[in-house]
Amino acid sequence: MNQLELAPLFQHHMVLQREKPITVWGRGPEDAMVTVRLDGVSASAVIREHRWSCVLPPHGPAEGLTLIVEMDIPGFPVTTVKDVAVGDVWLAGGQSNMEYFLRYDSHWEEIRRQPLNRQIRMFNVPRLCFEGQQKDVSDSGYWFGQGEKAWETFSAPGYCFARELQPVLGVPVGIIGCNWGGTPACAWMDPEYLKEEPLNRVIEEYEEAFRGCDLSKLRRETLRGYAQEDSPEHGEQWKAVMYGLNDEEQRQWKKDHAWDAVAPLGPWHAYRPGGLYHQMLEQVIPYALKGVIWYQGESDSGHPDLYDGLMETLIRCWREKWKDDFPFLMVQLAPFHHWLDCTGENYAEIRRRQEMVAARVPNVWTVSIMDLGMYEDIHPKRKKEVGERLTLLARGCVYGEDILCRSPELASGEVSGNTITLKLVYTGAGLQWAGEKPDAFRVTVDGQEVKDYQVTLQGDSICIAMPGAIQKECVVSFAEEDYVEVNLFNEAGLPVKPFTWKYRAE
């Protein structure tokens, strides 16, 4: 090649991560020398196999910088990237609930009237799932700010996270959207990480899905399916679905769209193992990050037993590729019953698996949104609250502020006579109901469910008075349902996480 190229993220108005080495990379003519300069500091590298990478030393917070990239070829034009900021950069990853556009959020009218915050900058990685895919990605591939055209189709949780975080930090915040609706976790990791048991089941099931198919026909069907999905007409019709349809409207939608072309699973599908890792995420690696916010899991509910392994492997994959053990903040799935052809079956188990990941993997935390679910919509509309809770979690767990930032969790329990006392942590000044006491508890004694118990709150404890003394064993579960309405909170307004507690007499 005869031209110098920078990786897509290196454009005007970009945000670089403070206090970490800054890797700048791209492509260019073989054997040429590339020099990168930023704020009086430079680094050089020789282009090998048309690829180059330079590493600048860490830089403190700054704005209005210029990145200069040039080659040692006489007369070759210098590349200049203007209005460069240095602050904190977060990646917003996952499926449709992270992709969820700002314009669909129930707070959109309030959000759009807020004063501009020019220290927040956004970048959407183009949602292209195979080489040469043709679709409108005009809202992607460049840095932009609040109020610009691409803003309303940016991740609502991602933007609201940045909006809440930036004033606290006092430095520029960049948020990179790298997400795609409906995608399983396996789509976002290097397939090499899926070869060992039991995760190899994901690869086996994928290959079985199109075994024996005519690949040329499969490709044509895929192109036809994506042409239908990406058409302007379908995009306009889909807006109504994302704003929210009731049950009757959903049935009509399915009837009206029963014969829409659908892209089959195969080598050109967005959901294939490793597909979006190679097509999207690799565009970001190794752009230095402060951390990742992650909202995904709905499309893995068919294999809930694999989800903790998938997420632990995904986090390991990303951290090894970046060579950085950056934090992962995960959103637990919201309560949900049904939407179009989807159900919330196994969501309770996915939430348990998400908690297992946070317990076992360092620098991983979860945020609960058990009060934000919708019975007949897989997409909760209050994403502003999701972003705000992720910000609280980041402030406390990542930035080290001494604040109440985590949802209450069960710590211990005991039985005295006919009373069960469950002690929780992260309650602040104490637990409190919002509205009527919910039917979120399930209590069984000696294998029989008990209904006539009384629940009271005492500071950080839940007290359950039973109709009689507990002789042998008892199990108490809270919000361990696919769909449930939680209205038990801590002082910070964070809902109590699902839990199960078991007791057996000595």
Side-chain angles (χ1 to χ4, degrees), residues 7 118 121 148 213 237 328 363 366 374 402 408 411 451:
R118 301 192 184 279
R121 305 180 186 187
E148 297 183 42
C213 291
Q237 295 164 357
F328 252 77
N363 225 13
T366 61
M374 301 178 70
D402 185 14
K451 296 287 190 179

Side-chain angles (χ1 to χ4, degrees), residues 170-438:
V171 302
V173 171
I175 187 85
I176 299 171
C178 193
N179 40 66
W180 189 310
T183 49
C186 68
W188 295 104
M189 67 182 87
D190 187 333
E192 292 295 314
Y193 285 71
L194 296 168
K195 289 186 174 180
E196 299 297 324
E197 293 186 353
L199 301 188
N200 62 341
R201 285 166 51 193
V202 172
I203 300 288
E204 292 171 357
E205 290 180 6
Y206 160 70
E207 293 175 345
E208 184 61 31
F210 62 95
R211 193 183 308 279
C213 291
D214 180 333
L215 290 183
S216 60
K217 180 181 178 181
L218 188 67
R219 179 178 171 82
R220 288 195 300 272
E221 291 177 353
T222 303
L223 294 176
R224 188 164 67 94
Y226 277 129
Q228 160 77 28
E229 182 177 318
D230 298 331
S231 68
E233 296 78 15
H234 183 270
E236 283 301 310
Q237 295 164 357
W238 190 247
K239 285 182 180 179
V241 178
M242 298 307 288
Y243 279 117
L245 301 177
N246 62 34
D247 197 47
E248 181 179 347
E249 292 168 334
Q250 290 178 40
R251 287 196 296 270
Q252 185 62 47
W253 167 272
K254 290 194 292 183
K255 182 179 179 181
D256 294 343
H257 294 268
W259 302 106
D260 285 0
V262 177
L265 186 62
W268 301 275
H269 200 283
Y271 301 173
R272 71 190 186 277
L276 299 184
Y277 169 81
H278 289 305
Q279 292 298 318
M280 293 179 65
L281 192 70
E282 282 191 326
Q283 294 187 40
V284 184
I285 303 170
Y287 199 87
L289 305 175
K290 181 64 177 183
V292 172
I293 55 174
W294 180 262
Y295 191 164
Q296 187 273 339
E298 299 92 340
S299 290
D300 286 298
S301 59
H303 282 307
D305 58 313
L306 295 181
Y307 193 67
D308 55 319
L310 282 168
M311 281 309 302
E312 288 180 13
T313 303
L314 182 145
I315 293 169
R316 177 167 60 88
C317 170
W318 287 26
R319 287 175 171 175
E320 289 178 356
K321 298 296 183 180
W322 257 279
K323 297 182 175 61
D324 186 352
D325 289 335
F326 45 58
F328 252 77
L329 309 183
M330 300 195 303
V331 181
Q332 275 194 314
L333 296 191
F336 158 66
H337 188 264
H338 69 275
W339 175 77
L340 297 179
D341 291 324
C342 304
T343 71
E345 186 177 3
N346 295 326
Y347 274 36
E349 184 61 30
I350 291 288
R351 293 184 204 111
R352 282 192 284 269
R353 300 286 170 154
Q354 291 173 319
E355 285 300 291
M356 291 164 63
V357 175
R360 293 196 297 238
V361 182
N363 225 13
V364 175
W365 296 275
T366 61
V367 62
S368 177
I369 55 171
M370 292 298 292
D371 57 321
L372 302 182
M374 301 178 70
Y375 188 80
E376 56 188 20
D377 201 323
I378 199 171
H379 302 111
K381 308 307 177 193
R382 294 163 57 189
K383 294 296 194 295
K384 180 173 179 284
E385 286 90 334
V386 177
E388 290 170 347
R389 291 179 190 181
L390 285 165
T391 299
L392 267 183
L393 198 61
R395 289 173 59 189
C397 295
V398 177
Y399 294 99
E401 284 192 58
D402 185 14
I403 58 173
L404 181 58
C405 66
R406 301 175 68 171
S407 280
E409 300 175 8
L410 179 67
S412 62
E414 63 178 18
V415 172
S416 178
N418 71 331
T419 301
I420 302 166
T421 302
L422 304 174
K423 184 177 178 61
L424 281 69
V425 291
Y426 312 124
T427 61
L431 298 167
Q432 52 194 318
W433 301 114
E436 296 295 323
K437 296 180 182 179

Side-chain angles (χ1 to χ4, degrees), residues 11-14 64-68 79-85 121:
Q11 297 188 38
H12 303 314
H13 318 302
M14 68 181 177
L65 303 181
T66 299
L67 181 74
I68 298 173
T79 299
T80 302
V81 182
K82 299 179 180 179
D83 188 29
V84 176
R121 305 180 186 187

Side-chain angles (χ1 to χ4, degrees), residues 144-176:
F144 60 90
Q146 179 183 340
E148 297 183 42
K149 184 177 180 181
W151 179 48
E152 70 175 47
T153 57
F154 192 71
S155 160
Y159 169 76
C160 293
F161 169 79
R163 179 78 193 200
E164 194 77 6
L165 183 64
Q166 192 283 320
V168 176
L169 300 181
V171 302
V173 171
I175 187 85
I176 299 171

Side-chain angles (χ1 to χ4, degrees), residues 444-473:
T444 61
V445 175
D446 298 335
Q448 298 295 316
E449 185 170 358
V450 178
K451 296 287 190 179
D452 53 342
Y453 55 82
Q454 297 295 321
V455 180
T456 57
L457 305 177
Q458 294 183 7
D460 61 0
S461 297
I462 301 169
C463 299
I464 305 176
M466 304 298 291
I470 299 169
Q471 301 296 329
K472 294 181 180 179
E473 60 183 23

